Amino acid sequence: MRIVDVREITQPIASPIRNAYIDFSKMTTSLVAVVTDVIRDGRRVVGYGFNSNGRYGQGGLIRERFAARLLEADPKSLINDAGDNLDPDRAWAAMMTNEKPGGHGERSVAVGTLDMAIWDATAKIAGKPLFRLLAERHGLQANPRVFVYAAGGYYYPGKDDDALRAEMRSYLDRGYSVVKMKIGGASLAEDRRRIEAVLSEIGGDAQLAVDANGRFDLETAIAYAKALREYPLFWYEEAGDPLDYALQAALAEFYPGPMATGENLFSHQDARNLLRHGGMRPDRDWLQFDCALSYGLCEYQRTLAALKVAGWAWNRCVPHGGHQMSLNIAAGLGLGGNESYPDLFQPYGGFPDTVRVENSFITMPDLPGIGFEGKSDLIKVMRELAE
Ligand SMILES: O=C([O-])CC(=O)C(=O)O
Ligand SMILES: [Mg+2]
């Protein structure tokens, strides 16, 4: 068996929303297909992947380096010892041939996108949902019930507090009991007003998390901490620059509630540095590393190993990104849950069509692979690329 083709297309996921750092008016994603010569249920097995929102499509890197290396490798070097399936770690090693360590940049997005497709193909060839394959590999019991929260609350031209409240109410109506909104894209006084509007809307029905997208310097991060700690927030996310571990550690002195960060750390070494130097507290804080931005699931397993060494439980991880790949990792390896964007980044984000959110939990259906075939709008664009 072998990989016979790797395809990439860069697709728009643009919208007029804005967080404290960027707008999404030109946002794109790379959609990739890893085509194999294996037939299952009368169909050629094709693995699919895409990168998470927030970083752009990686067509150049994928086509020039990472897909090219997969196709140039000796096919036998990419499969397992039994010769009956792909070996994602061997494929990962082939992609990373002649890449120096450090300076992770955005090649981690290109590799993470292809890694998603390789794991999708691997689980399909094994005839199992990825979350079950992962649980077996780790000697764990899969738990198809996964916590999900609704992310949104963006700044948007002309959006007033009533529109923000209506948005949050609509997430509650769709089964969520934790919602997230953006802060840091307005003055502290304005953000306080927005937060209070949402808190009064959701009352005791839900909890609110806030996300500053790395906008604040230390002084501003602390000024917000002093204001935010008066509210019963689910978490205070990405206050400062993602690589400023000293800022994060200093912030912990002013913010006794849960902090969250990690979506812009793209390697297990960066994650380890956060745990070593970022003052994050394993009893209450949350880690948001997103495999689709950070070299994929092969690397994410190394990140989880680093967590264990640092004394962190895997259920402190609630990945960024709202994709089914992280849902599988959560269900297979016991993460604390996953992000979800009920109104954004379609058709890539979200759940298979049959899935309903109840009390902020979903149940994973038993679909082979990552489960893309269960989401009709998504599998349609995927098949246009490769089948
Ligand atoms: O607005 C973004 O870039 C997405 C984000 O931070 C999140 O989902 O936590
Ligand atoms: Mg965020």
Side-chain angles (χ1 to χ4, degrees):
M1 59 145 306
R2 58 178 297 173
I3 293 172
V4 295
D5 198 8
V6 180
R7 297 186 193 165
E8 188 277 343
I9 183 170
T10 302
Q11 300 274 36
I13 48 167
S15 64
I17 57 174
R18 176 174 71 81
N19 65 34
Y21 226 105
I22 62 166
D23 72 46
F24 287 71
S25 58
K26 298 257 174 8
M27 188 52 61
T28 57
T29 188
S30 277
L31 174 62
V32 298
V34 169
V35 183
T36 74
D37 63 356
V38 179
I39 304 292
R40 286 282 178 278
D41 300 326
R43 272 193 108 92
R44 182 186 279 276
V45 172
V46 181
Y48 293 103
F50 52 85
N51 67 266
S52 266
N53 71 83
R55 302 283 161 164
Y56 295 86
Q58 301 288 326
L61 286 181
I62 288 172
R63 285 192 296 270
E64 288 171 18
R65 298 223 298 279
F66 299 107
R69 286 187 192 131
L70 281 176
L71 292 169
E72 282 160 12
D74 176 357
K76 286 197 204 60
S77 72
L78 305 180
I79 61 177
N80 63 12
D81 288 341
D84 62 1
N85 205 335
L86 296 171
D87 182 320
D89 289 300
R90 289 177 182 166
W92 196 92
M95 288 194 279
M96 289 297 283
T97 308
N98 290 327
E99 295 287 330
K100 284 174 133 183
H104 297 282
E106 285 191 325
R107 76 177 171 196
S108 64
V109 182
V111 173
T113 305
L114 289 165
D115 170 280
M116 189 189 291
I118 290 163
W119 280 100
D120 186 37
T122 303
K124 282 173 180 161
I125 292 169
K128 293 174 186 167
L130 177 58
F131 69 91
R132 297 208 182 276
L133 183 89
L134 267 179
E136 276 168 25
R137 286 189 175 205
H138 285 256
L140 296 170
Q141 187 76 34
N143 180 0
R145 239 180 130 246
V146 181
F147 165 74
V148 289
Y149 72 94
Y154 282 81
Y155 301 97
Y156 185 99
K159 183 174 178 180
D160 60 13
D161 290 354
D162 285 343
L164 179 61
R165 292 167 74 126
E167 179 193 346
M168 295 296 155
R169 173 57 55 190
S170 84
Y171 298 147
L172 270 52
D173 292 343
R174 281 177 272 176
Y176 292 92
S177 59
V178 177
V179 296
K180 186 166 93 180
M181 64 181 276
K182 297 300 176 182
I183 59 168
S187 66
L188 175 54
E190 195 176 322
D191 277 339
R192 283 187 82 128
R193 198 199 67 229
R194 292 170 64 248
I195 289 167
E196 284 170 17
V198 171
L199 287 175
S200 74
E201 177 65 40
I202 65 179
D205 300 339
Q207 281 188 281
L208 174 65
V210 297
D211 184 0
N213 284 96
R215 179 78 272 179
F216 301 147
D217 59 14
L218 181 58
E219 198 186 339
T220 315
I222 291 172
Y224 266 77
K226 288 178 177 169
L228 296 178
R229 69 191 181 194
E230 304 304 322
Y231 304 117
L233 295 181
F234 194 74
W235 70 49
Y236 174 16
E237 176 175 335
E238 246 197 348
D241 186 274
L243 291 165
D244 191 342
Y245 306 126
L247 180 152
Q248 192 70 46
L251 189 63
E253 304 292 318
F254 294 88
Y255 196 73
M259 308 188 298
T261 193
E263 70 179 66
N264 290 302
L265 299 182
F266 289 173
S267 66
H268 81 272
Q269 294 92 342
D270 285 341
R272 195 175 56 191
N273 276 339
L274 175 70
L275 302 184
R276 282 177 177 164
H277 308 297
M280 298 287 283
R281 301 152 301 190
D283 65 339
R284 77 197 80 164
D285 293 332
W286 300 95
L287 304 172
Q288 301 173 300
F289 319 118
D290 177 350
C291 68
L293 299 176
S294 57
Y295 291 115
L297 173 53
C298 291
E299 178 75 359
Y300 194 80
Q301 290 174 96
R302 291 187 277 273
T303 298
L304 290 176
L307 255 65
K308 202 168 252 176
V309 170
W312 281 73
W314 292 356
N315 67 8
R316 301 313 301 173
C317 295
V318 178
H320 163 272
H323 47 75
Q324 291 182 68
M325 183 72 175
S326 286
L327 284 177
N328 276 275
I329 304 174
L333 301 184
L335 307 187
N338 195 34
E339 183 166 20
S340 150
Y341 308 91
D343 293 333
L344 295 168
F345 312 125
Q346 291 304 316
Y348 297 94
F351 316 115
D353 300 336
T354 56
V355 169
R356 294 286 165 269
V357 182
E358 282 169 338
N359 298 320
S360 261
F361 278 82
I362 60 117
T363 302
M364 299 286 284
D366 269 294
L367 296 164
I370 293 173
F372 299 136
E373 279 68 11
K375 190 167 189 292
S376 48
D377 56 353
L378 177 55
I379 196 62
K380 182 168 176 295
V381 298
M382 289 175 158
R383 288 195 169 138
E384 279 165 14
L385 178 64
E387 288 174 78

